Amino acid sequence: VRDMFAKHGLKVISTGVHYPKNEEQVEAICKFSKALGAEYVSAESPDEIVKLWLKHLDGLKLTIHNHHKLPFADPNYVAKLIAPYPNVGACADNGGWTRAGFDSVAGLKILKGKIFTIHLKDQEKLGNTNSNAKIYGTGCIDLKGMLAELDAQKFDGYIIIEHGNYDDKFQVVKRDMEFLKNN
């Protein structure tokens, strides 16, 4: 895989989202992520597992991801979890926030200074766990407000475009990129 990526000029930024249950799993994930040359490893891990990650990161950074289920869907919970650790930040998934009923701009403000990566989505409906992802600018999320907040924070991480419910993903990502370039 590493050779294939190199051949095409691609770089692995992050692996995950991982859900390890013990130190052996954490160590294996870190070894795999390092072998791929990743900078980040993303997980939904409680504090006792975060402490295990810290023993094995060795140059990697851990990002705590959030899907739509509590407690990780609450940016306040994630902010408190990651606050003590300089090499642990958020992989903010605003689609998860929206599906759980949280405002995306407010979530970014809560995590200010600790956002390492973003899984960026636009969503069909606020507070609906079955809400589908939409092409940027066509859903209910204030993406322009999010981008303005990221600019205000001088965000220098990675924005990962995510979609799961379209057949022609190339055209969807192309439209999302156009939205990002114009906003």
Side-chain angles (χ1 to χ4, degrees):
V1 171
R2 198 173 43 210
D3 291 343
M4 178 186 68
F5 277 36
K7 177 182 173 185
H8 296 286
L10 300 173
K11 178 181 177 185
V12 175
I13 300 302
S14 181
T15 67
V17 175
H18 301 286
Y19 303 89
K21 303 288 187 223
N22 57 49
E23 187 167 0
E24 181 180 47
Q25 292 175 351
V26 167
E27 185 176 21
I29 293 165
C30 286
K31 184 177 179 181
F32 170 75
S33 300
K34 289 175 206 171
L36 286 177
E39 294 179 44
Y40 301 95
V41 60
S42 182
E44 281 188 5
S45 294
D47 192 52
E48 62 272 11
I49 302 295
V50 169
K51 290 176 180 166
L52 297 176
W53 283 107
L54 295 172
K55 294 168 63 175
H56 299 283
L57 289 173
D58 189 33
L60 289 169
K61 291 183 180 176
L62 175 63
T63 59
I64 299 299
H65 187 272
N66 63 279
H67 285 107
H68 65 280
K69 294 181 181 176
L70 294 173
F72 293 96
D74 183 347
N76 293 292
Y77 171 83
V78 173
K80 184 178 177 184
L81 177 66
I82 65 179
Y85 311 113
N87 59 341
V88 180
C91 173
D93 185 331
N94 71 301
W97 290 337
T98 302
R99 292 171 69 204
F102 290 95
D103 176 81
S104 296
V105 176
L108 294 177
K109 289 179 180 180
I110 290 166
L111 294 167
K112 182 178 181 178
K114 290 290 279 183
I115 302 167
F116 292 178
T117 61
I118 298 172
H119 286 187
L120 188 65
K121 294 183 186 84
D122 205 344
Q123 290 292 131
E124 189 174 47
K125 298 176 187 171
L126 178 66
N128 181 330
T129 58
N130 295 316
S131 176
N132 288 315
K134 302 294 285 179
I135 294 168
Y136 293 175
T138 67
C140 70
I141 295 176
D142 179 9
L143 289 181
K144 290 181 181 182
M146 285 185 68
L147 295 173
E149 178 59 28
L150 291 169
D151 284 344
Q153 291 185 26
K154 297 183 179 13
F155 174 72
D156 191 29
Y158 292 95
I159 295 177
I160 300 155
I161 296 173
E162 278 198 336
H163 281 287
N165 53 310
Y166 289 96
D167 290 332
D168 189 351
K169 290 180 182 30
F170 178 78
Q171 289 302 317
V172 170
V173 171
K174 183 177 175 182
R175 287 181 61 189
D176 287 347
M177 291 295 298
E178 288 170 9
F179 179 89
L180 291 172
K181 287 177 186 175
N182 294 319
N183 292 287

